[in-house]
Amino acid sequence: MFHANLKLYKNYLFNDSFVAKYPHAMPEDYCVSRTGTAEILRRPYREGSEYTVCEIAGSSGSATVVSRRFEKAGGVVGYEMKYLLPEAGGTLTVSLAGAGKDIISVSDALDGIRYSGGALRSHSQNVWQTLRIEADTDTDTALIRLNGKVVSRVPFDTAADCIDEVKIAFVCEQPAILLFTDLKAFPVPPLPEDYVPEPVMPEKKDGYVIGMNICSLWRTGSHYGWD
């Protein structure tokens, strides 16, 4: 076998893109439990695709939990994943846990994310979403981002000094499918003292709107040649 390129990552608690050319079971680092009838595997997104996803196909009344433990971390701990709910019928719940207790959970039933305090943000149906949770064990709060945008800062469900596990639960009221991939957890260091300050917006005098266009092809870590 010849590898055309090799990527090495550092400073992650874990970073999984689930490489699998053919349908395969979940890696050994993941614990899977279920009630009812549900199948879970990792597979190419489409036949011949280089992108790999994990798929949970659950029947009515099934509940599947996929968990992944990692080294304990405190302070601000980030977690990110991409997921797709192609149709109604199932609810995804993503939880960060520490010492066996769920600390903060975010749910999605098809078209919006929620937490224990209520709705957070709606989104288009049948579109891949990127969920990011930045959990701060010093303040017992979590900053929720969806598709790169800040949604809200919410309180922990349970106070915690550290985080060492992520849980992905999929509960089906009727037959449904969940796809997810690109799971990663990482410490979020504080900004340096000399970090670029917040910009000061000038007074509008000419009627123009000041904006910026960002091409995600050049975002660090998401482009073939700029990782």
Side-chain angles (χ1 to χ4, degrees):
M1 179 181 293
F2 174 73
H3 292 281
N5 60 75
L6 177 66
K7 297 182 178 181
L8 300 177
Y9 297 91
K10 65 177 183 178
N11 300 332
Y12 285 92
L13 298 167
F14 75 91
N15 184 350
D16 294 337
S17 56
F18 303 108
V19 176
K21 189 173 182 180
Y22 305 102
H24 204 280
M26 293 293 291
E28 294 182 356
D29 291 334
Y30 288 81
C31 178
V32 179
S33 61
R34 75 200 85 187
T35 58
T37 303
E39 295 183 356
I40 178 169
L41 53 82
R42 52 191 168 116
R43 62 170 178 79
Y45 182 39
R46 295 188 179 91
E47 185 176 353
S49 172
E50 62 179 303
Y51 299 107
T52 302
V53 298
C54 298
E55 177 186 89
I56 300 178
S59 62
S60 298
S62 67
T64 305
V65 179
V66 180
S67 59
R68 193 351 172 140
R69 298 186 65 87
F70 49 87
E71 183 180 352
K72 291 182 179 179
V76 182
V77 179
Y79 170 75
E80 189 172 299
M81 68 179 291
K82 301 182 187 300
Y83 69 90
L84 173 66
L85 294 165
E87 56 193 11
T91 299
L92 161 70
T93 300
V94 180
S95 304
L96 297 183
K101 297 180 180 180
D102 291 350
I103 296 168
I104 180 69
S105 299
V106 177
S107 300
D108 193 337
L110 180 65
D111 57 0
I113 56 174
R114 302 175 58 88
Y115 82 115
S116 58
L120 286 171
R121 174 169 289 179
S122 60
H123 60 72
S124 299
Q125 297 181 14
N126 199 24
V127 175
W128 279 90
Q129 306 296 321
T130 300
L131 173 67
R132 180 181 174 111
I133 304 173
E134 297 179 10
D136 189 342
T137 61
D138 294 329
T139 63
D140 289 331
T141 61
L143 181 67
I144 310 298
R145 298 177 185 265
L146 188 66
N147 303 323
K149 298 179 180 179
V150 172
V151 175
S152 181
R153 182 174 291 278
V154 301
F156 282 0
D157 297 324
T158 304
D161 296 327
C162 67
I163 298 172
D164 59 9
E165 186 178 13
V166 60
K167 301 176 183 178
I168 300 169
F170 189 50
V171 178
C172 298
E173 296 180 358
Q174 61 190 51
I177 291 174
L178 165 68
L179 303 178
F180 62 92
T181 190
D182 293 359
L183 276 57
K184 58 189 73 173
F186 44 90
V188 180
L191 296 176
E193 293 183 1
D194 61 350
Y195 191 75
V196 179
E198 290 286 337
V200 177
M201 297 297 291
E203 271 189 52
K204 290 179 67 175
K205 297 180 180 180
D206 50 17
Y208 286 101
V209 175
I210 300 173
M212 178 186 296
N213 183 43
I214 300 173
C215 177
S216 63
L217 290 176
W218 311 110
R219 190 180 66 205
T220 299
S222 65
H223 184 266
Y224 178 82
W226 291 80
D227 204 354

